[in-house]
Amino acid sequence: MDYYNEELGLKVPEHVAIIMDGNGRWAKAHHVPRNMGHSAGSKVVEQICEDAYNIGIKYLTVYAFSTENWKRSAEEVGALMLLLRNYLKDCIKRANSNNMRVIVIGDKSGLSEDIVETINRLEDVTRDNTGLTFIIALNYGGRDEMVRAVKQICEGVQNGTIKASAIDEQMISDSLDTRGIPDPDLLIRTSGEQRLSNFLPWQLAYTEFYFPEVLWPDFNKEELIKAVEKYNARERRFGGRKEE
Ligand code: IPE
Ligand code: IPE
Ligand code: MG
């Protein structure tokens, strides 16, 4: 359910998902190594979590690393993993002081052991926090998520705990990494690219999309509010039609 922010005079989407793109182009424009673009980008994430919650967003999902990002050079993947490792550790402290609940989605089995341990600890210690629910998509791919969900359901059918005829949309939703989380209302992809790159294909079925030109390291509260303004101008029909 949208929340009405009186001060802004805007309805605020309950769940915002962001494809944080453009770190590399930002680094290039500033004549610095790509890795500096990624570290600048990771600082923006911290601030946006606070801004999002302060304007009334309840769920924020960010795409941090895709199942396809392993195709990048060993150097870049290594730098991203180091950054993520430090980010997640730091997040443990920050999340509790901000009353933030953190959930990580994606295939954890593809991540190194110490990162998985940090994720488990992070999810564990923030489980009962009641502020922003912050969802980090890490080694996440929508198709991979669906494959894992289908396997899980098929195992249930095989061992007799699930009847094939009982499979419905709700069961599939409940078998995805995002189980229990409402679908995003608004998707933002920065840097002007207009594609999903395997991000939440099931969950974004009825989401409003917004593609600002700004590169992720330059994203800020004003840009977030601009996105919410764009959302306010949309008419969501969900297949129905507005009565005249
Ligand atoms: C997004 O920035 C961050 C990740 C994919 C991890 P990019 O690294 O994709 O930046 P561009 O698209 O090259 O500018
Ligand atoms: C999507 O961005 C993944 C993340 C932002 C983590 P990419 O930059 O990897 O996507 P493509 O390659 O341009 O589709
Ligand atoms: Mg990119």
Side-chain angles (χ1 to χ4, degrees), residues 105-119:
I105 59 170
D107 181 11
K108 292 184 182 122
S109 73
L111 296 169
S112 69
E113 227 173 276
D114 71 297
I115 294 188
V116 177
E117 264 171 38
T118 309
I119 291 172

Side-chain angles (χ1 to χ4, degrees), residues 18-23 25 34 62-69 71-72 80 137 140 189-191 193 195-199:
I18 307 182
I19 302 177
M20 310 182 290
D21 201 9
N23 294 351
R25 276 161 283 170
R34 279 186 80 82
V62 298
Y63 206 3
F65 192 89
S66 75
T67 46
E68 286 70 37
N69 285 146
K71 291 179 195 162
R72 297 190 180 197
L80 280 167
Y140 176 87
R189 180 173 187 150
T190 57
S191 86
E193 306 292 354
R195 56 176 170 269
L196 288 186
S197 303
N198 208 4
F199 189 47

